[in-house]
Amino acid sequence: MLNDGRTSERRHLRADAGSTPTPVTYYPVPLQMRLLENAKAIEGKPYADAFTRDLTVSPDWSKSLQDGPMPFDRTMTPSIADLARFASDPEGYPDSGYALLDGPTAYIQSRVVMPGVTTEMFRWWFTWHPIENERYSLWYPHAHVSNRVEYPGRLADKSLSFEERLFGNVNYVEEFIGATSLPIHIHFSHPRDLGMDEDALDRAGLTTSVSGTLRFGMAPEVTSALMLHLARDTEAGMELFSRYWIGAHPELHRFPGAEGAAALLAKMNLDADGALQLAYDMSVHDMTEYSHLARILPRLFSAFGKRD
Ligand code: ZN
């Protein structure tokens, strides 16, 4: 039987509930090796007890990624019109899924509620974790390799707003997507610079954004993706909406450097089949790391959030 549609979608929203969390059991060999290296590196750090190899996800979220690509008419393009449609009705989409769009473009979407988590904690996380690789490894111990920022002093400067600390402060990330380690430069930006309407986001209560364009480390001049993480506080916990478009979608051409994306993708062997596999691998990565962050963030914030 295919999944039961809206019921299943609704249930998997809570990162911790609905049904008993199911352990993540499949890790490609390079991720198994990375876990061992990360476990050794974090020894002696004050937050080492938050490091665990036991990751879990909601079975409903997991199942929602097992029926093949989502229906094309339930996806979004990165066009300004589609971004506006999303901001006016964020709930009007399936909660999670992946697909192949024009370009080719790997498309991923997810929506999760994190009990006990607030947008304040989420903003703090993005100013705290990039300072040390070991902090980044807490988030996904098998898949996260390293992260550093262009201006660590600015990221740590509490006299500035969150947006002043993060936006325009490139994160140089290395992480495994599927079994492949990728160097990724995340250019976090104000949502209005990504084509979103601030007033519409305000009306939806989506006041926290850790969104930006992405470039691969092997071609740092080529804009290769748009990533949205838009969050709001709800009575049940922080609700996070995520979208990724990785590839050469025509609507990404409004970003400088995107014209080189098609040639880069061809060089990376990301044809239609490759982009679709990347979409699935990224959807699993997103599910795994945001399910896990939901579990560790309240404790990390209470231990370190006021200090750092
Ligand atoms: Zn990650």
Side-chain angles (χ1 to χ4, degrees), residues 136 139-140 143-144 173 175-177 282 285-286 289:
Y136 180 56
W139 191 358
Y140 193 161
H144 283 180
V173 167
E175 62 181 331
F176 284 92
I177 309 299
M282 187 62 225
H285 186 109
D286 172 81
E289 69 181 357

Side-chain angles (χ1 to χ4, degrees), residues 126-265:
F126 281 88
T127 60
W128 185 77
H129 86 261
I131 301 296
E132 294 184 308
N133 290 337
E134 291 79 13
R135 298 179 186 181
Y136 180 56
S137 78
L138 292 171
W139 191 358
Y140 193 161
H142 308 68
H144 283 180
V145 179
S146 60
N147 190 4
R148 65 183 177 83
V149 289
E150 189 174 12
Y151 306 111
R154 169 141 75 90
L155 192 71
D157 186 347
K158 287 183 181 170
S159 72
L160 302 175
S161 70
F162 167 72
E163 287 77 11
E164 289 166 332
R165 292 163 75 175
L166 187 67
F167 296 167
N169 198 350
V170 182
N171 275 223
Y172 300 97
V173 167
E174 186 175 341
E175 62 181 331
F176 284 92
I177 309 299
T180 306
S181 179
L182 289 169
I184 302 168
H185 300 179
I186 308 175
H187 294 248
F188 289 109
S189 304
H190 197 288
R192 72 170 163 261
D193 297 329
L194 302 173
M196 303 206 74
D197 178 341
E198 277 175 85
D199 294 338
L201 290 176
D202 277 352
R203 280 195 296 277
L206 294 166
T207 50
T208 292
S209 175
V210 286
S211 307
T213 53
L214 272 52
R215 302 174 180 204
F216 290 115
M218 52 287 225
E221 70 289 355
V222 178
T223 296
S224 302
L226 172 64
M227 172 182 81
L228 303 183
H229 293 306
L230 297 160
R232 63 187 176 190
D233 291 306
T234 77
E235 279 180 16
M238 191 189 88
E239 182 174 30
L240 177 68
F241 296 86
S242 299
R243 300 289 187 272
Y244 308 76
W245 295 267
I246 309 167
H249 198 281
E251 294 290 349
L252 293 176
H253 281 179
R254 67 178 181 275
F255 299 109
E259 64 282 356
L264 175 65
L265 254 60

Side-chain angles (χ1 to χ4, degrees), residues 74 94 118 189 260:
R74 308 300 304 278
T118 63
S189 304

